[in-house]
Structure formats: structure tokens, C-alpha cells
Amino acid sequence: MLSLILEIFENSQFNLNTIIILLLTIIFAFAFAKFLSDDEPIEFPVPVPIEAKPGWINGKVLDKPNIKDPQNSGYIVCYDPATGQLLSNIRAHTEQDVIEALKKARKAQKEWAKTTFKERKKVLKSLLNFIVKNQEEICWVSCRDTGKSLVDAKMGEILVTCERIKWTMKKGEKALSPQYHESSMLLFYKIAKIEFEPLGVVAALVSWNYPFHNIIGPIISALFAGNGIIVKASEQVAWSLQYYSKIVKVCLKSCGHDPDIVQFLCGFADCGEALVKSGVDGITLIGSPQVGKQVMSSSSTTLTPCTLELGGKDCAILRQDVNLSKIIPIVLRGVFQNAGQNCIGLERILVHESIYDKFVKMVELRVKELRVGCALNDEEGVDVGALTTSDQIDRLSTLIKSTVSQGAKLLYGGYPFIHPLYPTAHYYTPTLLIDVTPEMPISQTEHFGPIMVVMKFRTDDEAIEIANSSGYGLGNSVFTKDQRRGEWMARRLRSGMVNINDFGASYICNLPFGGVGISGFGRFGGIEGLRQQCLMKSITLDRFPWLLQTSIPKMLDYPIHFRGSMFVSNLVKAVYENRLLYKVKGIIKLD
Ligand SMILES: *[C@@H]1O[C@H](CO)[C@@H](O)[C@H](O)[C@H]1NC(C)=O
Ligand SMILES: *[C@@H]1O[C@H](CO)[C@@H](O)[C@H](O)[C@H]1NC(C)=O
């Protein structure tokens, strides 16, 4: 290259213009190449644990699988709930780890806050690229740790995470750019705007039902807003956290950033409590109302703001005009997705009396056909996976029994499912419970299991009343051919989200996610969720700094002139008086 340029210089046939054009071309080529390479995601490898491979059967099968071992209380017993095989014993993090994590994240956040949106997008792009290319492996790890089916993992872990990343890359910068507002007529010479600054280091305490999505979701928003984040996963998914945390850390490192900006913790209640009290700058909890109360109470000592997502008792309301064959597949997915362990799962199916018997008959056939089993080890397909935690089986059976004792009818299930190869694993038979009424226990508590609860209603008003009566208020679905009636009902339902003729659609559409009542408050997802990760700072500036700057009229300067109070009265009239004559009088008297 150099010799070529020298040759050009020596060759008298080339004039200066040619040389300049040549040099400019080279400069542009370099800049363009850099632009292109900047836009490419960074590739990075993260080995997947051997235990995640489908068909893995080398683990010791536990007699009574349980996350806690009284002999070894500082450790978490990680096992596959769909087979009962031991995965590993992992040390539970404690208060000391929390303090250490916060210190590291605080240090790294100082640098991270200086990064541009372009740099943050590059991290997200690289992460998205990894997820798309390694979706099978990510799902295997989730299935092994939670017992869920492969389709549930693909939808609940991969698809929703990819959508969240894509949205944040596309719309996040605009959402966090300064927002200009109209200033007051009184202060017309001021510019009024909001800037979105990082909060600092935030914490997310997340549930076990979607171990990948639940940890990556808060990380996407926190990092994009310029925050550091400490994620505390549930002890139930300590094993998968090891792989998932590595993905995030390696991604950050490969993109040239300090991986300390994201900290991962996994421990029991004491670890969560220590994190809430640690002095982080914001808390997001995905959990139950009971844990929500504890978090709010603990965070009150430091007045740390919380976003609480505490589950729901979502209804599907089936009006008389629906086409049952069309909507039953949506309802089944809403009920049995992730074996019912889904905060926006359809926990109550409200069916109009005119189609009630037909619905029950149609759905009974389908529920009986559902195949229960281990997604990774069973040869034939699986519709409903295992329950993730060991205490759920007895809880569900008790809940069903007490509901039946009050008059509900159990058409199918209501007992654990014993897997022929893995008798110690946690499975529950898909259950169909009909003729349930609003006072029964299962109408008031989130059951979080593979149970279809069917209730009858006569009028739209009655359906709304039933839906409103649980205390929860996360989401609801209304199924009807009458779109206007659907909207009318949506306005009357007491919940943070309503989907007409669908289930979970608002989440995929990047609308804010959250509820009212004991479902909690605050939002994540979408513009509103992203901004909630920020310090919303209101700023005013001079609009014409060279011309007009704020000055206090002499009459109001201290010591205040005896006519000062009169002056303010006239000012109020001049600006706010509705009647023109008095308004003009006010203006005239302003002297
Ligand atoms: C109901 O939906 C099914 C499945 O989509 C369709 O085949 C059928 O024609 C529909 N029935 C009516 C009455 O629209
Ligand atoms: C349901 O709750 C909403 C919101 O609180 C309220 O406006 C509506 O009147 C309630 N409807 C019924 C029937 O309880």
C-alpha cells in the first residue's frame, strides 16, 4: 500500500487532485469498514453444562428431592424436578456476598453510566445474537432446572426475551431521550424538560418460573438505562443461574465492558432480605403478595422505590358469541402453559351459561389427552412438564379438596402424577374443576398449577363482578366477536392488563406489565418500564438567555414592599382570570 502511494507520488502523470481523491477514498473506506464492523454483533462462546443434554441420566436420583438439606444448610440442593436427579450442590449467598456484590457493581457503574446508547445497543445486539444461535441449549438448561416442556421454554424464555431486546434496541433510546414539555404561560421564557438519568445500582429479585427470561428482562432495562444491577434469582434455579450469568458476563467482557456491572446472587430468604436493605437505588420484585409485603416493609428503612409484580388470578371471560373450537386452544395454552406456573396464567375460566355445557364437554376431552412428562428424557412429546418446587403437590391437592368439599365438581385429575421412570419427580395430573363459585378457596388464591378452574356466569356485569372479586388485578382476557363490547368490559375490569380475544398479547406488544390490588404496583416492559429504571429529572432553562433572564420584581424582593401582596393578586388575575375585563384590569395594575 505504502509503496503504491509512493509510486503515485513519484509518477508525474498524477496530479494533486488525483492524490487527494485517492486519500479521501481510503479514509472513507476505513470509516465505512469500521461502521460496518461496529454494527456486527460480537460472537462469544459459553459452554453448556453436560447435565443439560437431552437424555442425560447420570445424576443420582434423590429419594425425596428438596432444595434444602438440613445437614448442609449453607448449600442449595439443585436437582431436576422432572427426574429427581441431583445436579449439584451450590453455596447459598449470604449478606456478606450482597455487600461485596454491591461494592463491585457501584464501582463498575461509574464507568458504565458514561457509555453511549450505541455501545449499549451493541451489547444487546451481541446478546440477542447469542440467544438466537443457542436457543436450544438455553432451553435445555431451563427445562433441566425447572422441569418445563420445550415449547414452554421456547416461548417463555426465548421468544419474549428476544422481543424485549429487539424493542429496547429499536425504541429504548427515544424513550430515554430528554422530553420537552410546554412551560407555563407565567414562565413562557423558560424551557421545561425531563431528563432520564440512571438510578445507580438497582436490584431485581426474581421468581423461578422462567429462570432465563426473569433474570435477563431486568438486566436489559437496567443496563440500557445506564444502571448497574444485582439480580437475585430464586434458590430453586441456582443451577441454571450459573450458565445464564456466564452468558451475560462473557457478553459484556467480549464487548469491552466490565462484567462487574451485573452481579448475580442466589440464596435463601436471608440473602433477599439483605439485598433489599443493602442500599440499592431501586428494587424490582417478581414474587408473591406475602414476599411483596416483606420487601416493601424492609425497603422502607431506606425508602428505596419498589416495583412489585406479585402474581394474579387472571380470568378468561368467554361471552356467548364466541366460536368455541377457535378459542379453546388459546384457553388451554393460557391455563397449562408452563404447567400453570405463570403469573399471567389463566386461573379462572368464566363461561357464559348458554355455552357452558358445550365448553366443558369439549375441554374435558382435551385435558384428558394432555401428556405429562420430562421434556428432555422422554421420547414421546410432552404437553405439561413437572412442577418446579417440592411443596406444590400437597398444596394443590389440599386446595382442590377444600374446593370440592364446598360444591365444586372434579371432572379429571386432582392428584399427583407418578412418572413410571422417575417416581420421585414432582408431577401433577392436569386437572379440570368445574362449577366453581367466587367464594371457594381456589377462586381467591393463586393456584399456580395445571388446573383449569371453570365458572359459570349469566350477564357481562356478573362476569366483571366475579373477575373483580379476587383481590388480585394483574391481567384478564375477554373473548367475544363483539369488539366494542369487549372494550366496554376491558374498561370495567379491575386489572393492569386486558387482552381481547387473546392471552398474554400485551406483553409481546411491549406494553407496560403490572397490576393493581395485591398484584402489586409499578411497571416493567415498554417505555414506562424503561423509564421506571431512571431518575426522572425535571430541568428548566432560559429560553432566550441573551435576552431575558429570571428576575424578581422589586416589589417582591426582600424586604418585601407593602404592595407586594397586591402585586401577586393582580398577577394571578392577569394570568388566570377568566373574565376579560378583570384580566385587563389585573394587567393594568401590574406596575
Ligand atoms: C369456528 O371455528 C372453526 C375453527 O377455526 C371453523 O372451522 C368453523 O367454521 C367456525 N364456526 C363458525 C360457526 O364460524
Ligand atoms: C370492577 O372494578 C372496577 C375498578 O375498580 C370498577 O370500576 C367496576 O365498577 C367494578 N365492577 C364490578 C361489577 O364490580
Side-chain angles (χ1 to χ4, degrees), residues 360-430:
V360 169
K361 207 178 276 164
M362 286 171 79
V363 96
E364 187 180 5
L365 293 172
R366 303 282 293 266
V367 171
K368 285 178 176 168
E369 278 176 4
L370 295 177
R371 298 157 303 172
V372 182
C374 171
L376 294 181
N377 290 23
D378 288 353
E379 294 290 320
E380 67 278 15
V382 165
D383 301 305
V384 178
L387 299 183
T388 302
T389 77
S390 56
D391 54 3
Q392 289 183 93
I393 292 179
D394 289 343
R395 188 178 59 79
L396 290 182
S397 290
T398 308
L399 191 57
I400 292 168
K401 217 174 271 168
S402 67
T403 302
V404 168
S405 77
Q406 294 189 20
K409 218 150 104 200
L410 182 62
L411 281 194
Y412 191 70
Y415 47 84
F417 169 81
I418 309 294
H419 194 290
L421 297 179
Y422 309 111
T424 65
H426 322 310
Y427 290 100
Y428 209 81
T429 307

Side-chain angles (χ1 to χ4, degrees), residues 295-523:
V295 165
M296 206 172 160
S297 151
S298 298
S299 65
S300 73
T301 56
T302 44
L303 290 175
T304 308
C306 312
T307 295
L308 304 179
E309 199 283 276
L310 309 177
K313 194 73 201 163
D314 294 13
C315 286
I317 299 174
L318 276 54
R319 292 187 75 243
Q320 57 271 34
D321 61 0
V322 297
N323 179 341
L324 282 178
S325 6
K326 215 172 198 160
I327 63 149
I328 280 178
I330 306 175
V331 173
L332 284 169
R333 172 141 288 286
V335 172
F336 293 104
Q337 176 165 319
N338 214 34
Q341 304 163 114
N342 191 355
C343 44
I344 51 162
L346 296 178
E347 297 239 339
R348 294 175 292 167
I349 313 299
L350 276 49
V351 186
H352 189 264
E353 58 178 354
S354 66
I355 52 169
Y356 188 86
D357 293 337
K358 189 172 169 209
F359 173 82
V360 169
K361 207 178 276 164
M362 286 171 79
V363 96
E364 187 180 5
L365 293 172
R366 303 282 293 266
V367 171
K368 285 178 176 168
E369 278 176 4
L370 295 177
R371 298 157 303 172
V372 182
C374 171
L376 294 181
N377 290 23
D378 288 353
E379 294 290 320
E380 67 278 15
V382 165
D383 301 305
V384 178
L387 299 183
T388 302
T389 77
S390 56
D391 54 3
Q392 289 183 93
I393 292 179
D394 289 343
R395 188 178 59 79
L396 290 182
S397 290
T398 308
L399 191 57
I400 292 168
K401 217 174 271 168
S402 67
T403 302
V404 168
S405 77
Q406 294 189 20
K409 218 150 104 200
L410 182 62
L411 281 194
Y412 191 70
Y415 47 84
F417 169 81
I418 309 294
H419 194 290
L421 297 179
Y422 309 111
T424 65
H426 322 310
Y427 290 100
Y428 209 81
T429 307
T431 297
L432 180 58
L433 202 54
I434 67 162
D435 296 352
V436 176
T437 57
E439 324 71 57
M440 293 179 183
I442 207 161
S443 302
Q444 300 297 329
T445 18
E446 187 177 26
H447 55 254
F448 223 61
I451 307 172
M452 183 181 281
V453 171
V454 185
M455 307 166 85
K456 189 186 284 183
F457 72 89
R458 277 154 215 90
T459 62
D460 290 343
D461 281 328
E462 191 191 2
I464 293 165
E465 200 177 312
I466 295 170
N468 276 3
S469 70
S470 79
Y472 286 95
L474 192 57
N476 282 300
S477 293
V478 179
F479 292 89
T480 177
K481 281 186 184 147
D482 185 344
Q483 181 94 344
R484 284 188 56 194
R485 192 66 180 171
E487 269 197 276
W488 180 87
M489 293 178 75
R491 291 198 195 98
R492 278 155 190 81
L493 286 164
R494 185 172 184 264
S495 62
M497 302 169 280
V498 181
N499 292 296
I500 309 295
N501 295 324
D502 215 325
F503 143 76
S506 65
Y507 195 51
I508 302 279
C509 292
N510 295 295
L511 290 174
F513 185 98
V516 290
I518 62 170
S519 288
F521 49 79
R523 295 292 181 267

